[in-house]
Amino acid sequence: MIPYSRQSISPEDIEAVVEALRSDFLTQGPLPGKFEAALAAYCGSAHAVAVSHGTAALHLACAALGLGPGDLLWTSAITFVASANCGRYCGAKVDFVDVDPASGLIDIGALAAKLQAAERDGRVPDVLVPVHFAGQCCDLVAIHDLARRYGFRVIEDSCHALGARHRGAAAGSCRWSDMSVFSFHPVKSITTGEGGAVTTNDAALAARLRLLASHGITRDPALLEQRDQGGWYGEQVALGWNYRITDLQAALGLSQLQRVDRMIQARRDRAARYHAALASLPLALPRHEPHDESAWHLYVVQLASAGLRRRVYEALRADGIGVQVHYLPVHLQPYYRRLGFGPGDFPAAEAFYHGALSLPLHPALMQEDQDRVIASLARAVGARRQSGTHTE
Ligand SMILES: *Cc1c(COP(=O)(O)O)cnc(C)c1O
């Protein structure tokens, strides 16, 4: 099966992890801090806090803002469930914003209209989690303007977007947001096995994230609430979690980060190749804003109907091609239906889901495998492939 995505592991990555294994520390040694410094430098943010998962990073980001019962978090209807669950972990209510049917990104017009209505009802969200779906950044300037006008905080879900740039700024720079969250799951731009991070330019938020990622225990003299009783002394001053990243993971992340730009370029090259080869097929190609630089996490084509999408999915799977669907709109998950959501609530997201199919895309996707995907897709949508079109 040609997978829709997979990690790319170099001999240097393996060497780096082996070296960490031979060192004095498997966890809480020097490597997480080095990884954080490298990540902050890459993103152009003042701080980065590396943790155990992207989901943990989202949870911490919400907790660091003090999100709690009675509060409200909005996110995009087209995303991985973690973008919404982080609000629920804090006891907050969650609601969704519909998407632009062409891109799958949060629809700024729908967001503005929903905010206007929410203001009338006195239910403006405390936190918005815009999602850089497929590696393409949302319109962060528009979101920032709305955040200032309505007074909500912005946590970017950048789990697809490490390596993307928006208006000249790297994803994670937090130029227009409070925090930006990354995942280092093996299908993402870089991997640490499992792992995640939060970037921010706010020193107080960074300190709070660190505290909450390690049980709420601190040794920082400035944070101690009782008398310092000696060198051993630390205090739990808040209820945190164990969301720490290990030195083994940080070693892999540091090594991967050194070639992230090459890996993103490899994704871009493969996306461009799909564009050229699929242009004449009866389906809609993903159009990522040409003036931005997408990280091309996913290559999502749109088929004309749910029935056709299902037939094409099954035909490609039968051909050994691991196509995927991103995503079942979060409000249609049974857990969220039980909270009162249902079909018809976010029609553009539902339409996007019905037509969406993610083709294999990752830095190590071989040209002959990509040709197999293209040929199989052309057969499945019933298009005759012109001979010679895809030979190079
Ligand atoms: C991968 C992903 C997450 C969660 O990251 P994990 O590291 O798997 O916990 C959150 N949001 C989005 C959009 C993702 O793609």
Side-chain angles (χ1 to χ4, degrees):
M1 187 74 80
I2 301 172
Y4 91 88
S5 185
R6 64 159 290 157
Q7 69 278 14
S8 147
I9 299 294
S10 71
E12 292 75 21
D13 292 342
I14 293 168
E15 193 46 50
V17 176
V18 169
E19 205 177 302
L21 270 170
R22 293 206 169 102
S23 77
D24 291 337
F25 299 97
L26 299 186
T27 189
Q28 295 177 277
L31 295 180
K34 283 188 184 168
F35 179 46
E36 289 174 343
L39 188 66
Y42 181 76
C43 294
S45 65
H47 310 276
V49 179
V51 296
S52 59
H53 306 85
T55 302
L58 282 164
H59 182 191
L60 287 171
C62 290
L65 289 176
L67 193 74
D71 292 337
L72 180 59
L73 176 147
W74 287 4
T75 188
S76 168
I78 291 288
T79 185
F80 184 56
V81 291
S83 318
N85 290 347
C86 56
R88 300 293 302 145
Y89 295 153
C90 295
K93 276 194 73 170
V94 167
D95 198 357
F96 302 95
V97 183
D98 213 346
V99 300
D100 175 336
S103 65
L105 297 177
I106 196 166
D107 180 335
I108 300 294
L111 174 62
K114 193 176 172 99
L115 284 165
Q116 213 168 42
E119 192 176 46
R120 274 199 310 272
D121 303 341
R123 283 303 280 153
V124 170
D126 301 278
V127 171
L128 177 73
V129 180
V131 180
H132 303 321
F133 177 76
Q136 175 171 221
C137 291
C138 304
D139 186 343
L140 288 170
V141 171
I143 289 169
H144 181 63
D145 287 348
L146 290 167
R148 284 173 54 162
R149 179 153 153 218
Y150 290 95
F152 58 84
R153 312 295 291 265
V154 178
I155 301 171
E156 296 171 66
D157 185 335
S158 305
C159 289
H160 294 184
L162 183 68
R165 299 186 73 82
H166 180 61
R167 297 177 195 249
S173 74
C174 302
R175 232 174 107 176
W176 302 282
S177 69
D178 296 284
M179 285 174 276
S180 186
V181 167
F182 294 102
S183 164
F184 309 124
H185 179 277
V187 300
K188 309 296 167 81
S189 301
I190 66 167
T191 190
T192 58
E194 297 275 4
V198 186
T199 59
T200 183
N201 295 319
D202 183 325
L205 278 178
R208 189 77 186 159
L209 290 164
R210 279 184 208 294
L211 181 74
L212 294 177
S214 194
H215 308 282
I217 292 176
T218 183
R219 291 174 190 281
D220 180 351
L223 295 180
L224 296 181
E225 294 180 15
Q226 305 175 146
R227 189 173 54 82
D228 190 344
Q229 297 171 20
W232 69 88
Y233 189 69
E235 285 178 348
Q236 185 195 346
V237 296
L239 183 62
W241 300 271
N242 183 352
Y243 282 167
R244 291 188 305 257
I245 196 166
T246 65
D247 280 58
L248 300 184
Q249 292 166 300
L252 181 54
L254 263 169
S255 180
Q256 291 249 313
L257 194 57
Q258 285 179 29
R259 64 177 198 288
V260 59
D261 285 335
R262 263 180 288 151
M263 292 199 283
I264 298 296
Q265 189 57 49
R267 287 177 176 274
R268 285 199 185 110
D269 293 344
R270 284 155 182 74
R273 211 157 169 274
Y274 273 138
H275 272 14
L278 304 177
S280 61
L281 298 188
L283 44 78
L285 300 181
R287 275 195 308 274
H288 292 201
E289 285 294 332
H291 55 264
D292 265 8
E293 292 171 44
S294 172
W296 283 106
H297 172 62
L298 298 173
Y299 192 92
V300 182
V301 299
Q302 280 284 334
L303 295 154
S305 71
L308 179 62
R309 194 273 303 274
R310 180 161 188 165
R311 285 196 298 282
V312 171
Y313 172 89
E314 279 164 5
L316 267 70
R317 283 265 162 172
D319 278 351
I321 295 164
V323 281
Q324 268 293 357
V325 172
H326 299 93
Y327 292 97
L328 174 64
V330 183
H331 70 283
L332 297 183
Q333 297 284 356
Y335 172 79
Y336 284 95
R337 286 189 191 218
R338 285 199 290 276
L339 296 177
F341 297 100
D345 286 349
F346 303 99
E350 292 167 30
F352 186 88
Y353 162 68
H354 286 310
L357 191 69
S358 301
L359 305 184
L361 180 67
H362 59 87
L365 179 64
M366 307 279 284
Q367 216 169 82
E368 57 261 39
D369 283 348
Q370 195 176 10
D371 286 338
R372 270 182 57 202
V373 177
I374 292 162
S376 175
L377 182 59
R379 268 197 308 277
V381 297
R384 258 182 304 115
R385 207 178 141 206
Q386 291 170 312
S387 60
T389 309
H390 309 123
T391 53
E392 272 172 29

